[in-house]
């Protein structure tokens, strides 16, 4: 059974720092891995999607990597800003007919001015 | 602009009452999903639909019902059989059978009064 874990659960950093959020999964038979951002009381915003055949994706100051063999993904945020403060969620889409999303609990990020 | 619209943003339910949450998308996506989010828990799938007039139970379907009469619409009814309905409800859509991310609505917060 696929399980997704995100570490740390919470992170507080000063503005300008580069940071890494971690996501691990137990079954490497995935279709893709997605990173989302959620602001308090809001819906989810898709940040990056990495297909199972890819190693990384980049969007602006964000870079997500995928290592299927070790069951790990990282989300790298460069030069963090207070506006980056949010909860970041990782979700794995299983391979096969189901292709259900399996979610981590998220990392709550606070970037302090 | 294309997107998903959830309404209402806040909903209050009395004991024994059925309530319906609206979800409309204009993205021409085939698949639509309903998730429930509770503090300290990952997103849990309630129901999903990959085609009009067809839908499948997710992990926590008891006490909920859905319909998919139109491609654009996927309303969720929280029935009186759902004993703990207070939660944040999120609707999402995606393209079926493609490496394509999910698009989420802004959510509905349901509270039992």
């Amino acid at each position: 059974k696929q399980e997704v874990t995100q570490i740390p659960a919470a992170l507080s950093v000063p503005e300008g720092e580069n940071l890494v959020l971690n996501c691990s999964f137990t079954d490497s038979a995935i279709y893709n891995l997605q990173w989302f951002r959620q602001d308090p009381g809001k819906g989810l915003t898709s940040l990056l999607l990495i297909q199972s055949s890819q190693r990384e994706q980049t969007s602006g100051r964000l870079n997500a990597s995928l290592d299927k063999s070790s069951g790990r993904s990282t989300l790298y945020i460069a030069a963090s800003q207070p506006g980056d403060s949010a909860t970041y969620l990782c979700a794995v889409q299983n391979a096969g007919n189901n292709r259900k999303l399996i979610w981590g609990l998220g990392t709550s990020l606070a970037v302090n001015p | 602009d294309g997107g998903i619209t959830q309404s209402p943003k806040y909903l209050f339910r009395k004991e024994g009452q059925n309530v319906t949450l609206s979800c409309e998308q204009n993205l021409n996506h085939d698949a639509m999903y309903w998730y429930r989010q509770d503090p300290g828990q990952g997103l849990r799938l309630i129901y999903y639909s990959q085609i009009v007039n067809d839908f499948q139970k997710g992990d926590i379907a008891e006490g909920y019902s859905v319909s998919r009469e139109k491609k654009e619409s996927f309303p969720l009814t929280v029935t009186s059989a759902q004993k703990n309905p207070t939660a944040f409800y999120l609707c999402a859509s995606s393209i079926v059978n493609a490496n394509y991310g999910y698009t989420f609505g802004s959510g509905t917060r349901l509270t039992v009064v």
Side-chain angles (χ1 to χ4, degrees):
Chain A
K1 177 185 173 186
Q2 181 75 272
E3 293 182 1
V4 178
T5 303
Q6 291 187 247
I7 294 173
L11 183 62
S12 181
V13 301
E15 181 177 3
E17 199 164 286
N18 301 326
L19 58 99
V20 174
L21 307 181
N22 297 292
C23 173
S24 62
F25 49 95
T26 54
D27 186 347
S28 62
I30 65 171
Y31 194 57
N32 60 48
L33 183 145
Q34 302 176 43
W35 283 94
F36 294 87
R37 168 187 171 138
Q38 186 175 29
D39 293 288
K42 305 289 186 183
L44 277 66
T45 300
S46 179
L47 297 175
L48 290 164
L49 180 149
I50 312 176
Q51 298 179 26
S52 61
S53 58
Q54 296 176 325
R55 298 284 292 183
E56 66 177 342
Q57 283 287 336
T58 298
S59 176
R61 294 182 294 108
L62 306 180
N63 176 278
S65 69
L66 175 64
D67 183 344
K68 273 204 321 179
S69 61
S70 66
R72 292 182 181 179
S73 175
T74 62
L75 179 66
Y76 175 83
I77 302 177
S80 58
Q81 303 170 358
D84 294 329
S85 298
T87 296
Y88 291 80
L89 293 161
C90 165
V92 165
Q93 191 167 26
N94 281 338
N97 291 333
N98 190 324
R99 291 188 185 167
K100 190 174 152 181
L101 277 183
I102 310 297
W103 295 86
L105 296 183
T107 293
S108 177
L109 173 65
V111 180
N112 305 306
Chain B
D1 285 338
I4 297 183
T5 301
Q6 287 189 244
S7 62
K9 188 171 182 178
Y10 300 97
L11 187 56
F12 299 91
R13 193 194 93 164
K14 295 180 181 178
E15 294 286 346
Q17 189 179 42
N18 292 353
V19 291
T20 297
L21 285 60
S22 171
C23 179
E24 303 276 335
Q25 55 101 357
N26 61 3
L27 300 165
N28 200 32
H29 286 173
D30 295 307
M32 297 186 74
Y33 312 84
W34 274 106
Y35 285 93
R36 171 177 172 146
Q37 188 175 38
D38 295 278
Q41 297 195 42
L43 272 73
R44 292 183 289 170
L45 182 64
I46 305 172
Y47 268 99
Y48 65 100
S49 168
Q50 295 188 321
I51 194 169
V52 174
N53 292 324
D54 186 53
F55 47 82
Q56 307 296 328
K57 291 183 179 180
D59 300 318
I60 55 165
E62 185 175 350
Y64 300 98
S65 66
V66 294
S67 63
R68 187 85 186 277
E69 296 177 1
K70 299 185 300 181
K71 188 175 185 178
E72 302 79 17
S73 178
F74 192 41
L76 173 74
T77 296
V78 184
T79 75
S80 57
Q82 172 49 242
K83 297 307 178 188
N84 185 23
T86 295
F88 191 52
Y89 291 86
L90 288 160
C91 179
S93 71
S94 71
I95 297 174
V96 177
N97 294 330
N99 251 308
Y100 192 87
Y102 282 34
T103 301
F104 279 82
S106 57
T108 292
R109 185 162 299 280
L110 174 62
T111 304
V112 174
V113 295

